[in-house]
């Protein structure tokens, strides 16, 4: 009986460098069956004991991809790093095979645009995204920062003085600052949803959502 797309917990990870290797190991730790593939035999050998299956293969060759069963996977990750041609060719072949969900690593925004244009469903820029995140944390008052998409972000910060002791619905932060408080954490407690009736207190940690510049400016108030 064929597996459904939602219940199929098999992933093909192509490229076992630092990003692909750590991703593959994390997936295995979460109960996924991972086939890790790389053209470097030494790299493949280093993951032989930690991944479900490993294989040495040239994934820029259509016949080789079919032999390893790439077309049978619902999810595939192209984690090839510095070799742009290999990354693009491998992604293109997976698209042609009809793999439903393809994640591809890019090393630049231009590389990412090419991967999207040829059909990758999700493009990640781990080095760029991490550098951008650290830059935001170093240069501002945010405790954490995640860009959801270009020019829209989530920011973790301390509740600023101007909203303390007042219901969020009465503070007007959405109209005055362009952000929405989506979650709040009291001292010693876990994060919970923020509502219009939530009253922030001194020392509370909040998560706000909005355009990147608005999130940054609001965090500076803390």
């Amino acid at each position: 009986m064929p597996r459904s797309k939602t219940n199929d917990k098999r992933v093909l990870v192509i490229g076992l460098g630092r990003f692909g290797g750590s991703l593959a190991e994390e997936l295995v730790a979460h109960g996924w069956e991972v086939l890790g593939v790389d053209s470097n035999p030494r790299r493949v050998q280093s993951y032989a004991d930690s991944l479900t299956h490993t294989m040495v293969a040239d994934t820029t060759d259509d016949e080789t991809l079919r032999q390893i069963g790439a077309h049978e996977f619902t999810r595939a990750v192209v984690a090839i790093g510095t070799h742009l041609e290999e990354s693009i060719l491998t992604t293109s072949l997976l698209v042609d095979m009809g793999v439903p969900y393809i994640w591809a690593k890019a090393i630049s925004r231009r590389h990412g645009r090419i991967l999207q244009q040829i059909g990758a469903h999700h493009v990640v820029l781990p080095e760029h995204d991490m550098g951008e995140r650290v830059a935001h944390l170093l240069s501002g008052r945010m405790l954490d920062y995640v860009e959801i998409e270009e020019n829209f972000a989530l920011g973790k910060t301390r509740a600023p003085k101007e909203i303390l002791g007042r219901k969020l619905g009465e503070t007007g932060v959405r109209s005055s600052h362009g952000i929405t408080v989506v979650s709040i954490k009291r001292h010693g407690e876990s994060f919970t949803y923020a509502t219009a009736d939530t009253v922030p207190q001194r020392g509370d940690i909040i998560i706000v959502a909005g355009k990147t510049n608005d999130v940054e400016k609001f965090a500076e108030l803390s």
Side-chain angles (χ1 to χ4, degrees):
M1 184 175 180
R3 309 188 196 196
S4 71
K5 292 181 181 180
T6 54
N7 294 329
D8 187 356
K9 296 201 72 173
R10 298 177 304 150
V11 184
L12 170 64
V13 177
I14 299 174
L16 296 175
R18 282 179 295 179
F19 173 73
S22 61
L23 169 66
E25 288 184 322
E26 191 67 19
L27 285 167
V28 169
H30 284 77
W32 288 73
E33 181 181 326
V34 177
L35 169 58
V37 180
D38 199 287
S39 59
N40 185 321
R42 185 175 299 177
R43 192 174 287 167
V44 170
Q45 182 60 37
S46 69
Y47 286 99
D49 294 331
S50 56
L51 303 184
T52 318
H53 309 285
T54 55
M55 193 172 294
V56 179
D58 174 12
T59 57
T60 64
D61 179 71
D62 178 81
E63 185 59 33
T64 299
L65 273 180
R66 293 192 180 277
Q67 287 177 359
I68 68 175
H71 57 289
E72 299 174 356
F73 282 82
T74 300
R75 297 170 178 83
V77 179
V78 181
I80 299 170
T82 54
H83 302 288
L84 267 64
E85 185 177 357
E86 290 182 23
S87 165
I88 293 167
L89 282 172
T90 298
T91 302
S92 178
L93 289 173
L94 292 173
V95 171
D96 289 344
M97 289 179 182
V99 176
Y101 304 107
I102 302 169
W103 282 259
K105 174 190 174 183
I107 60 173
S108 67
R109 290 202 179 277
R110 183 184 179 190
H111 182 200
R113 283 195 295 271
I114 294 171
L115 291 170
Q116 287 179 323
Q117 287 168 359
I118 63 177
H121 306 102
H122 306 275
V123 173
V124 293
L125 293 91
E127 287 88 356
H128 177 276
D129 291 347
M130 181 55 71
E132 190 172 72
R133 178 170 175 258
V134 172
H136 279 89
L137 299 180
L138 283 172
S139 61
R141 302 291 295 276
M142 277 186 277
L143 304 174
D144 206 347
Y145 168 88
V146 178
E147 189 171 53
I148 306 302
E149 62 178 21
E150 192 168 355
N151 200 34
F152 192 88
L154 291 175
K156 178 182 174 184
T157 187
R158 291 180 176 83
K161 185 176 180 180
E162 72 173 68
I163 68 171
L164 299 181
R166 302 167 59 194
K167 291 182 179 181
L168 285 174
E170 298 173 354
T171 61
V173 290
R174 187 175 297 179
S175 57
S176 60
H177 296 288
I179 60 92
T180 300
V181 180
V182 296
S183 188
I184 188 166
K185 183 181 186 296
R186 311 280 190 202
H187 179 69
E189 299 180 10
S190 300
F191 272 105
T192 186
Y193 296 110
T195 70
D197 293 326
T198 298
V199 179
Q201 304 295 333
R202 184 178 301 277
D204 287 351
I205 303 297
I206 57 175
I207 294 177
V208 301
K211 291 183 178 179
T212 302
N213 287 340
D214 292 334
V215 170
E216 291 173 339
K217 289 177 182 177
F218 186 76
E220 289 299 316
L221 300 175
S222 63

